[in-house]
Amino acid sequence: MKQVALPYQEHEHKGLLKALKLQRMASFSKGMLFLLPSIILFSVFLFYPLGRTLYLSFFLTNSSGQTTVFVGLENYMNIFNSPIFLKSLQSTLLFVLYTVPGTILVSLFLAIIANEKLKGVGLFRTMYASTMGISTAAASVFWLFLFHPSIGWLNQLLKLLGADAIGWLTNPDWALFSVSIATIWMNSGFTFLILLGGLQSIDQYLYESANIDGAGYFYKLRRITLPMLSPTLFFVITVSFINAFQTFGQIDMLTRGGPQNETNLIVYSIYQDAFMNYQFGTASAQAMILFFIILILTLIQFKLGERKVHYQ
Amino acid sequence: MTIPLRTKIILYTLLVLAALIMFAPLLITFMMSFMSGQEIMMGNMIPTSFSLENYVAVFQRFPLVRYLLNSLVMSLLIMTGQLIISSLAAYAFVFIEFKGRDLIFFLFIATMMVPFEASVIPNFHTIRDLNWLNSYQGLALPFFAMAFGTFLLRQNFKQIPKELKEASQIAGIGDLKFFLTVVLPVAKTSLLTLGVYGFLTSWNMYLWPLLTTTDDRFRTVQIGLRQLQSQEQLNEWGVIMAGAIIVVIPTLMILFLGQKRLQQGLTEGALK
């Protein structure tokens, strides 16, 4: 009986393996079919261009973007010796330093006061979130008027207070600061909305037991709200960092990188080199530097985000 | 739990003050858009007259209707493309098991580390070489694939019980049919959130339309606003303001209607 059964079993086993293999093949091709549109688009518009940018950064190019002379790392050496690029890097870092903490603090404050259960609070929430629906171009028009040297509201208010007018966008000492203020305003809507969502998902039970213990408002803020909010907070900080490094629209609308290159942030610098001076090589080298900055920031987010920062 | 009166007063004061500051730029622009050029130049802060002449002027002097239409077509294209492509990818990540899936998933995560600005130069050349400058496909296609959208939908699809998939498989229902008739209807609200988000961000896009449109027939409204601002004389502030108000009306309306959904959706997508 054994002798009869064995070949039969073996045969069945083989058939099963084959069927399994076929099934695996089928589900592989099915999976790939569903993923193919994404994979093709990412390849054409993301991975290829990234490689191409790296490639271009080692070359000189003609005005249509064709490579002409291989120069190795010279583009990188040139930009790091160029006072204009170093200035751009410095402005970008300063801009990040102004706008990231600024946006987070403003949005956090708004989210905390709008999180209370009060009558009519929905209206306030909508108002605070509204800047998310306002495009960079439109917001820049608003602020261009507010910053206007003679008829703008800011200088009019200063005049009412008896102070001197300020060249908000024309004075090199003020321009970057002014652009930062406008940017904080523009970015606060989105950050507010995310932080409010984070606050609302905190378990109310924690507050109730703290109330029974007679905890004060600021004690609860420090000991419950902020620690419980830390994953959300961490997320918006990273997103704000990345957004700040990618700022372009408001620079183009408000200052065009001036005065004296004070507001020539890195993306604007890339734009100028590539699309106004047709220096695609040096522009690509700058783009690679931007890529590495963002890469590091995203990696930090993934690494720390995994740990969910701080759950008590 | 009731809030003590004193705290209530403090909170309302803070809420109103913050609202005044945050809403001021929009409110001032709105007021200015109804003032005559002369009144603005005199530095009046409160309008004493009300006129629609700025709105008439901006529509007469600029092809604003065309710009609005272009923005609408581009945003709808991007929104639809993102919804279709992200939901297909998310379905594969949740319901189809195959070798190499984790690798591809990692590839999707990797795309989030590449800022669009770092790849914008070759992208511009690609679109130019395809002769797609000044075209809707050139404006929209680079934004169709989207890791964030895929992750958001994947989170949502995961809530559909696996048994449902197994049962439908036994009943002989294919993947495409299961995807269309079961998964998509269940994920309706997430799709809506993603759609609103995609529409808002596309409508507000700046750098890419600036690079790829040079022709009024395809220029989007954001770049139109840039034209308006750089071409108009200084004493035409009212006209520029009217243009800016028209640009923000559609997105503000969408935001007001969908704010709650958007907030929930984005928080979920952000934190998983």
Side-chain angles (χ1 to χ4, degrees):
Chain A
M1 225 170 90
K2 234 182 184 178
Q3 275 165 335
V4 182
L6 206 72
Y8 179 71
Q9 265 185 359
E10 217 162 59
H11 177 73
E12 195 190 39
H13 192 59
K14 256 190 189 157
L16 211 68
L17 265 181
K18 210 174 162 192
L20 218 66
K21 210 173 165 190
L22 264 175
Q23 206 193 350
R24 253 191 236 140
M25 288 265 287
S27 60
F28 178 77
S29 44
K30 211 161 26 185
M32 289 309 279
L33 219 57
F34 275 85
L35 286 167
L36 213 56
S38 292
I39 293 175
I40 291 175
L41 285 166
F42 277 141
S43 307
V44 176
F45 294 113
L46 203 126
F47 292 117
Y48 159 72
L50 186 64
R52 176 83 186 161
T53 303
L54 180 67
Y55 180 76
L56 282 176
S57 75
F58 299 131
F59 284 89
L60 295 181
T61 62
N62 63 18
S63 63
S64 66
Q66 246 83 50
T67 55
T68 50
V69 186
F70 177 79
V71 293
L73 290 172
E74 214 168 283
N75 284 329
Y76 290 92
M77 273 152 21
N78 282 344
I79 57 169
F80 277 109
N81 284 320
S82 141
I84 296 178
F85 179 72
L86 290 179
K87 175 91 204 167
S88 165
L89 216 52
Q90 187 199 349
S91 298
T92 309
L93 290 177
L94 263 179
F95 178 80
V96 169
L97 210 66
Y98 292 153
T99 56
V100 174
T103 308
I104 302 291
L105 287 177
V106 168
S107 313
L108 184 62
F109 172 75
L110 295 176
I112 287 173
I113 59 172
N115 188 38
E116 304 291 338
K117 286 189 183 59
L118 290 168
K119 226 177 238 156
V121 81
L123 179 71
F124 290 107
R125 285 179 189 167
T126 307
M127 283 169 110
Y128 300 158
S130 66
T131 64
M132 196 189 157
I134 296 172
S135 69
T136 313
S140 299
V141 168
F142 301 176
W143 284 91
L144 211 52
F145 176 75
L146 291 174
F147 287 140
H148 190 280
S150 56
I151 56 171
W153 276 47
L154 291 174
N155 276 350
Q156 298 240 45
L157 284 175
L158 286 179
K159 207 161 87 184
L160 281 180
L161 297 169
D164 286 336
I166 292 172
W168 296 100
L169 296 171
T170 48
N171 183 338
D173 294 333
W174 281 94
L176 190 65
F177 176 78
S178 307
V179 174
S180 301
I181 295 285
T183 305
I184 291 172
W185 182 80
M186 291 175 201
N187 293 346
S188 61
F190 174 79
T191 318
F192 162 78
L193 215 55
I194 303 276
L195 285 176
L196 184 66
L199 283 178
Q200 286 176 345
S201 61
I202 297 177
D203 198 344
Q204 284 304 308
Y205 174 76
L206 288 172
Y207 291 104
E208 279 157 28
S209 50
N211 284 336
I212 293 166
D213 295 341
Y217 179 78
F218 287 100
Y219 183 85
K220 280 185 282 182
L221 186 68
R222 212 156 41 88
R223 287 302 169 96
I224 301 173
T225 311
L226 291 182
M228 292 308 288
L229 194 63
S230 60
T232 319
L233 212 48
F234 182 71
F235 170 77
V236 292
I237 289 173
T238 326
V239 171
S240 301
F241 261 109
I242 293 173
N243 276 343
F245 275 106
Q246 291 175 291
T247 302
F248 174 78
Q250 54 269 52
I251 303 296
D252 189 50
M253 292 283 288
L254 292 175
T255 61
R256 306 262 146 111
Q260 293 167 24
N261 286 323
E262 276 298 326
T263 60
N264 187 17
L265 302 186
I266 187 161
V267 177
Y268 197 75
S269 170
I270 295 170
Y271 166 75
Q272 272 192 317
D273 264 1
F275 298 104
M276 288 159 112
N277 305 328
Y278 303 109
Q279 302 285 328
F280 292 107
T282 48
S284 297
Q286 295 177 50
M288 285 316 291
I289 291 174
L290 176 70
F291 166 65
F292 278 113
I293 293 173
I294 306 262
L295 179 74
I296 290 165
L297 285 174
T298 330
L299 284 177
I300 290 175
Q301 157 156 35
F302 284 152
K303 206 76 224 142
L304 293 178
E306 258 169 32
R307 270 185 249 152
K308 286 284 176 198
V309 192
H310 188 177
Y311 273 138
Q312 282 190 324
Chain B
M1 193 188 73
T2 52
I3 301 169
L5 188 66
R6 203 175 64 99
T7 320
K8 244 185 200 173
I9 291 171
I10 295 174
L11 271 172
Y12 272 118
T13 317
L14 288 176
L15 282 168
V16 171
L17 278 178
L20 278 179
I21 295 171
M22 294 307 289
F23 222 54
L26 179 63
L27 205 64
I28 292 169
T29 309
F30 188 68
M31 268 166 29
M32 293 288 158
S33 70
F34 296 109
M35 278 160 74
S36 69
Q38 205 188 358
E39 229 183 322
I40 296 174
M41 288 318 282
M42 278 161 52
N44 286 4
M45 292 171 100
I46 311 291
T48 51
S49 62
F50 173 86
S51 86
L52 287 171
E53 63 178 287
N54 292 326
Y55 287 89
V56 176
V58 78
F59 275 108
Q60 270 175 355
R61 275 188 253 159
F62 280 84
L64 202 58
V65 178
R66 181 76 211 193
Y67 293 159
L68 286 165
L69 192 75
N70 290 338
S71 277
L72 184 72
V73 172
M74 177 193 76
S75 306
L76 286 177
L77 263 177
I78 295 180
M79 184 186 92
T80 318
Q82 284 179 343
L83 285 177
I84 295 173
I85 287 172
S86 301
S87 58
L88 282 173
Y91 180 84
F93 284 132
V94 176
F95 290 107
I96 305 175
E97 269 172 46
F98 61 94
K99 223 177 151 188
R101 192 173 76 166
D102 292 343
L103 184 77
I104 296 175
F105 190 68
F106 177 75
L107 218 63
F108 270 65
I109 293 177
T111 65
M112 296 181 91
M113 302 179 196
V114 185
F116 181 70
E117 288 75 7
S119 52
V120 75
I121 296 169
N123 274 336
F124 173 77
H125 291 149
T126 304
I127 295 295
R128 183 198 59 193
D129 296 343
L130 287 167
N131 262 329
W132 280 0
L133 292 181
N134 292 313
S135 75
Y136 291 128
Q137 65 270 32
L139 279 169
L141 203 64
F143 303 97
F144 275 16
M146 183 197 198
F148 172 74
T150 308
F151 295 153
L152 188 86
L153 292 176
R154 176 177 161 264
Q155 266 340 92
N156 200 257
F157 290 177
K158 269 184 172 171
Q159 288 160 11
I160 300 167
K162 279 254 157 58
E163 291 77 22
L164 210 61
K165 171 83 185 359
E166 281 155 20
S168 69
Q169 225 161 11
I170 292 165
I173 294 172
D175 275 287
L176 196 63
K177 195 170 177 201
F178 183 70
F179 171 68
L180 291 173
T181 56
V182 179
V183 176
L184 288 188
V186 169
K188 214 165 41 191
T189 49
S190 279
L191 290 167
L192 197 72
T193 311
L194 188 62
V196 170
Y197 179 76
F199 189 90
L200 279 180
T201 46
S202 321
W203 181 273
N204 293 340
M205 203 158 54
Y206 189 87
L207 178 59
W208 186 244
L210 176 67
L211 295 177
T212 56
T213 57
T214 50
D215 187 329
D216 271 346
R217 283 177 307 143
F218 291 100
R219 198 166 271 151
T220 66
V221 80
Q222 309 300 337
I223 309 308
L225 200 58
R226 179 191 198 251
Q227 295 294 102
L228 184 65
Q229 180 240 321
S230 55
Q231 282 174 22
E232 285 294 285
Q233 299 301 315
L234 267 184
N235 55 355
E236 297 277 17
W237 271 104
V239 179
I240 305 173
M241 303 280 203
I245 291 296
I246 289 168
V247 172
V248 298
I249 285 175
T251 40
L252 278 183
M253 272 179 8
I254 293 174
L255 190 72
F256 290 160
L257 293 175
Q259 184 205 327
K260 224 183 162 82
R261 272 249 58 79
L262 205 61
Q263 179 198 324
Q264 281 165 0
L266 291 179
T267 319
E268 273 168 33
L271 297 168
K272 278 177 241 184

